[in-house]
């Protein structure tokens, strides 16, 4: 792909000790639902490049959208200017070196996504609307096809192509105490997006949450998180603690914990790019081979994720996003899990609830996120179901659930058997002891 | 590759006009064409060494066709005439959603060409001075071995926009933003805390030259270390004095998002029928004002070409109005307020805030603390989330202070605030005299980030506090 631009970049690399070009080309189609009607449909076409180089210990970098003949040369010239002003960076360890793939290239290209039309997307959105009995105030279905290429002066020349499908749906009842629901969809294609199931689930969730009561007082209890809430809680806490750059700069509480117990013995987590997930690939966006890698085994920390900046790259230097294909060329590689996977347990979510004495099943936080530095969280529960002696006894809203995610994974009560792929993570429902719920009065 | 038509945003008139006409010819009732270039320079220095130094340049076009009350969009990272025409045809072809028959837009017809009002344009400053600023901010944090991570950063954005629409508008303008930050992480071996400091604005490089970088860096480091000795924040329903940052977060999250016109047309806001209703105590007035000189969220025009304006949202406790794009204004029979904004040329236009803040009161801060028997004083925000349906919000605070019997009685770690927005604002009983704005990014739902600011005075009210673990 983009041989013209790649050739110009390769020719310019002779002037530097090391250099690298990343080129991406993307087509994105999106349909939006606003106020239960299909409000607009978009087609986006973009192409761009980032050029990085090193000379005499100095680094240069620039990115451009490929909107003219001169764009590539302008990009290289700007990067060269940046390099000329740059102070020396002693910790630079070099770009990727050529290597054999360690895994078979996962099947992440769905031809149906490439060929989708505005009419197809509109019809899919319409079926969600038809199967939902309440309002859909805001939703979107976005599909994209991206081709990317990494070339560098060490001889790396790897190409990747992938498709991405993402859906975000909200629902709402009307009336004085309106209830809301939400559904997410992540995948490499639309085969798993069932508009009937999503429409019905949106209805059930919104109606269910309209019966919620405001929680009052405070209570220590077990937190039960379904996959769509646990995914971001895990990436923001564990994902941050295993990030090699955070380790390098002393920002990870686990920086000295390799070989030590950081989680319950029942926890096994690996980074698995071998299955079809949005960021699965045989080579990362810097050209380093990827592989299935154990992060935590039986609660013991096995390793960190690294890119070329950290050195000894594990193949986790990524520019692409698991939800948004647009702008990949514009992003400096950062360390990302490719598909952080928690080994599922044997219990169904229903059994998990039945084994909980006092707990809350969180259907929806305002936004599920723990502090990346400390693991702390204090999150507004938009809809949660209180559990008492194994049974759901009520639905609450407008309360704060507090805890520390890095402590929570040491206090795992139970792991479900229902893993769901959510962006860069694949997680089942899990329950954690030692959290506190606080409401008004 | 064959020869391309190279242009920058302000030279795009002919191509954009042709695209607008092409969409009209294909059946668009209204159409607009927007080109944009965005140049950014980012420098960060970490633990004494340069970590990031980059210059980026993106640019492209966004074409919109309004046909039968529905939008179609086409965008491209290209300034070639044939690619712009393809995007225009995409836009018309995509206008196949559910229409609103008879809904006419009322776009402005403006012809204006503006440069950014800055004293020192970043383009006139050597890159070496920008690098030095970031490294000075980093170096100034080296005051104690408990600082395990220090970051000094400088970022600038120079954006040029050009809009042509079928109502006759031909507008171009430039936006400049500059930001400096010092972020310190302190550790005592057992746990870690962080603190940040630094200015932001739509000013030029003068904010760097006018700043005391040494002091900013030292403050971040000193306060991060001080936070190591903070205790866990209390939990419960209690008196809170929000600092200007957290007051702004309340304005933005608790009332601002719910006042966006599209949430009203979708009946997704607890403020849908609130005009004329009492929603706060008499001392509370609130504004969204895109015209505040130098503020991070200020814009001369929105991304539909409507001139920016000041919307009074709450007037002495009474709810007065909403923010609008072209579409929501027409649907609600109002004038557009200049709040139709997009993250960039590749993103959709939504109703978005600009600079959102509470007006001032009459108290001094020291007086406010001394007149508070039992409460908590906020010190800086982390982030927040809106809840336009439920009328609640979530605001995370970086740290705070306990107040007992009118005295500061120790520092507390990060905590979260929540509660019913109207109940909280009705409980507000004191505001200080000075309004301070703080710049940042605002996402709508889960993406579409635009630059905004929010702020206010110190404000005393009752809300739910949750201390983290």
């Amino acid at each position: 792909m983009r041989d013209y631009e790649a050739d110009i970049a390769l020719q310019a690399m002779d002037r530097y000790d090391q250099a690298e070009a990343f080129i991406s080309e993307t087509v994105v189609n999106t349909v939006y639902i606003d106020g239960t009607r299909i409000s607009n449909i978009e087609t986006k076409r973009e192409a761009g490049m980032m050029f990085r180089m090193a000379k005499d210990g100095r680094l240069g970098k620039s990115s451009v959208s490929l909107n003219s003949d001169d764009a590539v040369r302008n990009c290289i010239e700007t990067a060269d200017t940046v390099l000329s002003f740059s102070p020396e960076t002693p910790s630079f360890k070099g770009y990727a070196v050529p290597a054999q793939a360690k895994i078979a290239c996962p099947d992440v290209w769905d031809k149906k996504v490439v060929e989708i039309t505005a009419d197809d997307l509109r019809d899919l959105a319409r079926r969600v609307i038809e199967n939902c009995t309440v309002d859909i105030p805001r939703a979107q279905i976005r599909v994209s096809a991206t081709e990317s290429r990494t070339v560098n002066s060490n001889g790396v020349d790897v190409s990747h192509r992938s498709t991405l499908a993402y859906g975000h749906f909200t629902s709402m009842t009307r009336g004085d105490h309106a209830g809301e629901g939400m559904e997410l969809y992540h995948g490499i294609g639309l085969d798993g997006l069932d508009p009937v199931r999503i429409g019905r689930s949106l209805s059930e969730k919104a109606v269910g949450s309209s019966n919620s009561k405001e929680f009052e007082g405070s209570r220590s209890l077990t937190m039960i998180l379904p996959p769509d809430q646990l995914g971001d809680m895990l990436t923001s806490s564990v994902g941050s603690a295993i990030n090699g750059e955070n380790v390098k700069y002393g920002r990870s509480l686990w920086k000295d914990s390799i070989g030590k117990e950081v989680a319950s013995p029942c926890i096994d987590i690996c980074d698995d790019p071998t299955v079809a997930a949005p960021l699965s690939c045989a080579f990362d966006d810097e050209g380093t081979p990827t592989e299935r890698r154990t992060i935590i085994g039986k609660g013991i920390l096995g390793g960190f994720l690294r890119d070329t900046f950290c050195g000894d790259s594990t193949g986790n230097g990524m520019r692409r996003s698991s939800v948004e294909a647009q702008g990949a060329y514009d992003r400096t590689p950062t360390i990302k899990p490719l598909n952080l996977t928690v080994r599922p347990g044997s219990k169904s979510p229903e059994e998990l609830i039945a084994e909980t004495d006092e707990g809350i099943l969180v259907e929806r936080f305002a936004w599920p996120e723990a502090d990346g530095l400390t693991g702390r969280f204090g999150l507004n529960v938009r809809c949660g179901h209180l559990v008492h002696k194994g049974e759901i006894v009520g639905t609450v809203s407008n309360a704060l659930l507090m805890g520390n995610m890095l402590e929570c994974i040491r206090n795992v009560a139970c792991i479900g058997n229902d893993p769901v792929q959510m962006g860069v993570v694949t997680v089942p429902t899990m329950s954690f002891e030692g959290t506190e719920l606080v409401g008004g009065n | 590759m064959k020869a391309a038509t190279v242009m920058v945003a302000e030279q795009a008139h002919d191509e954009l006009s042709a695209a607008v006409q092409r969409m009209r010819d294909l059946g668009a009732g209204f159409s607009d064409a927007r080109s944009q270039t965005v140049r950014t320079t980012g420098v960060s220095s970490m633990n004494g060494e340069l970590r990031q130094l980059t210059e980026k340049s993106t640019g492209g076009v966004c074409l919109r066709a309004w046909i039968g009350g529905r939008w179609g969009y086409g965008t491209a990272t290209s300034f070639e005439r044939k690619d712009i025409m393809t995007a225009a045809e995409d836009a018309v072809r995509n206008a196949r959603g559910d229409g609103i028959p008879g809904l006419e837009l009322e776009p402005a017809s403006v012809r204006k060409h503006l440069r950014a009002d800055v004293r020192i344009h970043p383009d006139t400053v050597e890159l070496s001075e920008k690098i030095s600023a970031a490294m000075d901010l980093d170096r100034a944090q080296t005051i104690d071995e408990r600082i395990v991570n220090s970051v000094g950063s400088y970022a600038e954005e120079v954006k040029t926009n050009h809009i042509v629409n079928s109502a006759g508008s031909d507008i171009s303008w430039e936006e400049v933003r500059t930001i400096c930050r010092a972020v310190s992480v302190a550790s005592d071996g057992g746990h870690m805390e962080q603190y940040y400091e630094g200015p932001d604005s739509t000013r030029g490089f003068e904010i760097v030259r006018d700043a005391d970088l040494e002091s900013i860096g030292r403050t971040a480091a000193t306060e991060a270390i001080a936070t190591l000795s903070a205790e866990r924040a209390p939990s419960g329903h209690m008196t809170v004095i929000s600092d200007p940052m957290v007051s702004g977060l309340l304005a933005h999250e608790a009332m601002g998002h719910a006042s966006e016109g599209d949430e009203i047309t979708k009946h997704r806001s607890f403020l849908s029928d609130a005009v004329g209703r009492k929603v706060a105590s008499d001392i509370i007035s609130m504004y969204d004002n895109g015209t505040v000189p130098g503020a991070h969220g200020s814009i001369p025009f929105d991304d539909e070409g409507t001139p920016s304006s000041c919307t009074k949202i709450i007037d002495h406790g009474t709810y007065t109005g909403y923010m609008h794009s072209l579409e929501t204004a027409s649907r609600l029979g109002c004038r557009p307020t200049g709040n139709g904004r997009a993250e960039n040329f590749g993103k959709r236009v939504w109703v978005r805030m600009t600079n959102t803040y509470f007006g001032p009161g009459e108290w001094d801060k020291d007086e406010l603390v001394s007149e508070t028997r039992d409460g908590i004083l906020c010190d800086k925000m982390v982030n927040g989330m809106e809840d336009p349906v439920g009328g609640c919000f979530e605001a995370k605070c970086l740290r705070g202070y306990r107040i007992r019997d009118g005295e500061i009685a120790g520092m507390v770690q990060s905590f979260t605030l929540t509660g019913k927005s109207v109940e909280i604002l009705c409980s507000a009983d004191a505001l200080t005299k000075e309004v301070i704005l703080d710049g940042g990014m605002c996402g709508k739902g889960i993406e579409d980030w635009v630059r905004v600011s929010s702020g206010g005075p110190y404000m005393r009210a009752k809300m739910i506090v949750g201390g983290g673990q």
Side-chain angles (χ1 to χ4, degrees):
Chain A
M1 66 166 289
R2 290 277 174 177
D3 290 341
Y4 173 82
E5 287 85 355
D7 286 347
I8 295 175
L10 281 164
Q11 286 165 23
M13 288 180 188
D14 290 344
R15 304 184 339 229
Y16 307 102
D17 297 338
Q18 287 196 46
E20 175 207 75
F22 174 84
I23 302 168
S24 67
E25 190 162 18
T26 300
V27 178
V28 186
N29 283 292
T30 311
V31 58
Y32 294 94
I33 300 171
D34 286 293
T36 324
R37 72 182 184 93
I38 296 166
S39 57
N40 64 315
I41 300 170
E42 290 176 354
T43 302
K44 306 172 190 171
R45 303 171 202 276
E46 72 157 31
M49 182 181 95
M50 177 174 278
F51 192 84
R52 303 193 291 174
M53 77 283 253
K55 189 174 185 181
D56 300 332
R58 297 162 182 259
L59 302 178
K61 181 169 56 182
S62 178
S63 67
V64 296
S65 42
L66 296 173
N67 49 27
S68 75
D69 254 2
D70 299 330
V72 175
R73 288 188 179 85
N74 289 342
C75 180
I76 295 166
E77 281 173 21
T78 304
D80 193 69
T81 304
V82 168
L83 180 137
S84 70
F85 281 99
S86 170
E88 288 190 20
T89 304
S91 61
F92 175 65
K93 294 181 172 64
Y95 301 124
V97 293
Q100 292 291 316
K102 295 176 179 174
I103 61 170
C105 186
D107 182 11
V108 290
W109 181 258
D110 185 338
K111 200 175 169 199
K112 284 179 283 191
V113 167
V114 180
E115 294 172 349
I116 203 159
T117 66
D119 285 344
D120 297 333
L121 273 181
R122 186 191 57 194
D123 292 345
L124 190 60
R126 175 116 40 233
R127 291 186 65 203
V128 174
I129 293 171
E130 287 168 355
N131 285 282
C132 184
T133 57
V134 298
D135 285 357
I136 301 180
R138 184 192 297 173
Q140 64 171 293
I141 303 170
R142 180 168 64 212
V143 295
S144 54
T146 300
E147 295 188 59
S148 62
R149 183 174 175 185
T150 306
V151 293
N152 75 25
S153 57
N154 298 330
V156 165
D157 187 350
V158 296
S159 296
H160 181 74
R161 63 177 194 170
S162 58
T163 52
L164 200 58
Y166 171 71
H168 178 246
F169 308 87
T170 63
S171 60
M172 182 184 77
T173 61
R174 292 197 184 182
D176 286 343
H177 192 71
E180 284 186 286
M182 188 190 72
E183 280 285 326
L184 287 170
Y185 175 79
H186 294 264
I188 57 129
L190 288 168
D191 286 347
L193 195 157
D194 180 350
V196 177
R197 188 199 67 76
I198 287 174
R200 289 176 181 166
S201 173
L202 287 170
S203 309
E204 288 166 9
K205 286 181 174 177
V207 171
S209 77
S210 69
N211 298 319
S212 68
K213 303 260 189 308
E214 282 195 38
F215 181 76
E216 295 187 352
S218 66
R219 190 184 300 176
S220 294
L221 36 59
T222 297
M223 169 177 74
I224 307 169
L225 296 182
D228 63 353
Q229 302 300 300
L230 177 57
D232 284 335
M233 293 292 279
L234 204 68
T235 37
S236 57
S237 54
V238 172
S240 184
I242 62 173
N243 180 305
E245 184 170 337
N246 288 341
V247 172
K248 176 185 168 87
Y249 286 117
R251 294 187 307 238
S252 167
L253 283 170
W254 289 358
K255 66 185 170 61
D256 300 315
S257 298
I258 293 284
K260 295 180 183 171
E261 189 175 283
V262 295
S264 296
C266 60
I267 291 281
D268 289 303
I269 299 177
C270 69
D271 191 30
D272 187 2
T274 64
V275 299
L279 290 189
S280 287
C281 50
F283 294 91
D284 71 3
D285 290 339
E286 297 184 299
T288 305
T290 67
E291 62 183 319
R292 190 177 187 279
R293 185 175 297 276
T294 297
I295 305 298
I296 296 174
K298 295 182 177 171
I300 307 295
L301 182 64
F304 301 119
L305 305 180
R306 292 182 299 274
D307 60 2
T308 60
F309 175 76
C310 288
D312 192 19
S313 174
T314 53
N316 291 88
M318 297 303 291
R319 292 157 152 122
R320 287 175 293 123
S321 154
S322 62
V323 295
E324 172 68 282
Q326 202 180 341
Y329 67 90
D330 194 36
R331 303 184 197 112
T332 300
T334 55
I335 297 166
K336 279 185 194 172
L338 303 171
N339 180 26
L340 206 59
T341 304
V342 176
R343 186 173 61 84
S346 58
K347 304 265 173 65
S348 68
E350 292 76 19
E351 289 173 307
L352 203 140
I353 292 166
E355 291 186 4
T356 302
D357 188 38
E358 293 289 336
I360 181 167
L361 168 64
V362 179
E363 185 174 306
R364 193 163 49 90
F365 284 124
W367 184 251
E369 182 186 54
D371 181 69
L373 197 65
T374 63
R376 286 198 290 255
F377 63 85
L379 300 171
N380 180 284
V381 177
R382 290 284 165 81
C383 181
H385 306 286
L386 290 177
V387 178
H388 177 64
K389 296 197 181 308
E391 291 190 359
I392 290 178
V393 294
T395 302
V396 296
S397 60
N398 194 24
L400 288 175
L401 185 60
M402 294 168 304
N404 185 311
M405 212 49 213
L406 295 180
E407 289 301 316
C408 281
I409 67 157
R410 289 178 177 274
N411 299 310
V412 174
C414 204
I415 305 176
N417 62 0
D418 57 337
V420 178
Q421 209 287 315
M422 303 293 304
V424 296
V425 294
T426 301
V427 288
T429 300
M430 290 176 68
S431 58
F432 308 91
E433 292 168 348
T435 60
E436 184 183 3
L437 189 67
V438 175
N441 301 321
Chain B
M1 180 183 277
K2 63 183 183 178
T5 305
V6 181
M7 64 180 184
V8 292
E10 54 269 69
Q11 296 168 337
H13 178 265
D14 291 349
E15 282 74 10
L16 298 182
S17 295
V20 166
Q21 188 57 49
R22 177 71 178 145
M23 289 187 280
R24 292 300 298 266
D25 292 345
L26 292 172
F30 167 78
S31 60
D32 63 16
R34 177 163 53 97
S35 70
Q36 188 177 65
T37 62
V38 186
R39 286 180 290 113
T40 58
T41 298
V43 190
S44 70
S45 173
M46 199 175 286
N47 290 10
E49 183 179 288
L50 194 71
R51 171 66 185 97
Q52 295 282 358
L53 173 57
T54 187
E55 296 210 339
K56 298 179 178 181
S57 172
T58 58
V61 292
C62 176
L63 292 303
R64 301 195 306 167
W66 174 258
I67 303 174
R70 57 203 158 206
W71 288 109
Y73 278 59
T75 74
T77 50
S78 173
F79 292 134
E80 287 191 61
R81 178 177 277 255
K82 74 173 177 52
D83 293 330
I84 294 174
M85 289 304 166
T86 299
E89 288 158 15
D90 282 343
V92 173
R93 188 168 51 250
N94 284 338
R96 294 187 189 184
D98 301 322
I100 306 172
L103 184 66
E104 299 286 336
L105 304 179
E106 294 184 34
S109 180
V110 181
R111 302 181 79 81
K112 217 166 206 175
H113 303 276
L114 302 172
R115 289 284 174 190
D117 182 18
V118 296
R119 187 151 49 87
I120 305 171
H121 198 290
D123 288 352
T124 66
V125 178
E126 288 277 14
L127 186 57
S128 56
E129 189 174 351
K130 299 167 186 175
I131 295 169
S132 293
M135 298 196 85
D136 288 349
L137 282 165
D138 181 8
R139 200 174 298 115
Q141 297 170 52
T142 316
I143 61 165
D144 190 296
E145 62 185 15
R146 285 172 292 178
I147 297 297
V148 295
N149 185 221
S150 57
V151 182
S153 63
Y154 165 82
E156 71 188 33
E157 178 185 87
V158 179
K159 191 186 277 186
T160 62
N161 306 278
H162 193 152
I163 293 181
V164 173
N165 71 24
S166 57
S169 279
D170 179 2
I171 313 163
S172 68
W173 74 97
E174 180 190 46
E175 295 172 31
V176 171
R177 288 182 175 83
T178 45
I179 302 171
C180 278
R181 278 281 186 278
V183 183
S184 291
V185 177
S187 172
D188 58 9
H191 76 293
M192 290 192 276
E193 298 289 349
Q194 64 180 321
Y195 202 80
Y196 64 89
E197 193 72 52
D200 55 70
S201 79
T202 44
R203 306 275 187 212
F205 198 75
E206 59 266 27
I207 73 150
V208 178
R209 290 193 182 156
D210 292 348
D212 183 345
L213 302 179
E214 172 76 18
S215 170
I216 291 170
R218 288 186 71 85
T219 299
T222 304
E223 296 305 320
I225 291 167
T227 314
L228 288 172
S229 58
E231 296 182 350
R232 183 180 169 184
S235 295
H237 193 243
M238 57 196 300
T239 298
V240 175
I241 299 176
S242 54
D243 71 349
M245 259 189 199
V246 176
S247 294
L249 195 58
L250 297 179
H252 182 99
E253 306 293 359
M255 302 300 281
H257 277 291
S259 299
E260 293 168 334
D262 57 330
E263 305 291 15
I264 307 302
T265 59
K266 287 185 272 193
H267 308 286
R268 191 175 177 262
S269 170
F270 72 102
L271 296 169
S272 287
D273 299 308
V275 173
R277 214 167 71 200
K278 196 76 175 163
V279 296
S281 68
D282 289 347
I283 61 170
I284 297 287
S285 291
M286 181 180 143
Y287 311 84
D288 181 82
N289 186 353
T291 69
V292 179
H296 195 67
S298 292
I299 45 174
F301 302 95
D302 69 6
D303 291 306
E304 300 184 301
T306 305
S308 190
S309 68
C310 178
T311 305
K312 196 169 206 176
I313 295 170
I314 301 173
D315 184 6
H316 292 91
T318 300
Y319 194 79
T320 48
Y322 309 115
M323 293 163 276
H324 289 296
S325 63
L326 288 178
E327 181 182 340
T328 66
S330 288
R331 290 180 68 175
L332 295 171
C334 303
R335 299 292 305 164
T337 55
N339 290 89
R341 303 183 67 191
E343 179 179 333
N344 57 42
F345 62 88
K347 299 281 191 175
R348 73 183 293 195
V349 171
W350 297 65
V351 182
R352 309 303 299 272
M353 284 173 266
T354 57
N355 306 298
T356 314
Y357 54 91
F358 293 120
E362 296 175 343
W363 291 58
D364 293 319
K365 181 189 166 192
D366 291 345
E367 184 188 12
L368 188 51
V369 171
S370 68
E371 292 291 322
T372 301
R373 194 177 63 80
D374 184 24
I376 191 166
L377 170 65
C378 306
D379 182 13
K380 289 200 187 286
M381 56 160 258
V382 179
N383 58 35
M385 277 299 288
E386 77 276 21
D387 180 12
V389 174
C392 299
F393 72 99
E394 174 189 280
K396 292 178 191 156
C397 303
L398 187 63
R399 69 175 194 186
Y401 300 90
R402 283 291 271 140
I403 301 173
R404 289 196 181 93
D405 298 323
E407 303 274 349
I408 297 290
M411 191 183 289
V412 294
Q413 296 169 349
S414 60
F415 55 95
T416 308
L417 305 173
T418 193
K420 289 279 188 188
S421 307
V422 170
E423 288 175 13
I424 289 168
L425 293 185
C426 285
S427 75
D429 65 354
L431 303 170
T432 57
K433 293 169 185 166
E434 189 184 9
V435 172
I436 299 171
L437 296 179
D438 175 54
M441 303 290 282
C442 167
K444 186 143 173 163
I446 53 171
E447 49 192 33
D448 287 290
W449 299 93
V450 297
R451 296 185 184 277
V452 297
S453 79
S454 57
Y458 285 87
M459 178 175 80
R460 186 171 65 186
K462 286 192 179 295
M463 52 194 101
I464 300 170
V465 179
Q469 293 180 356

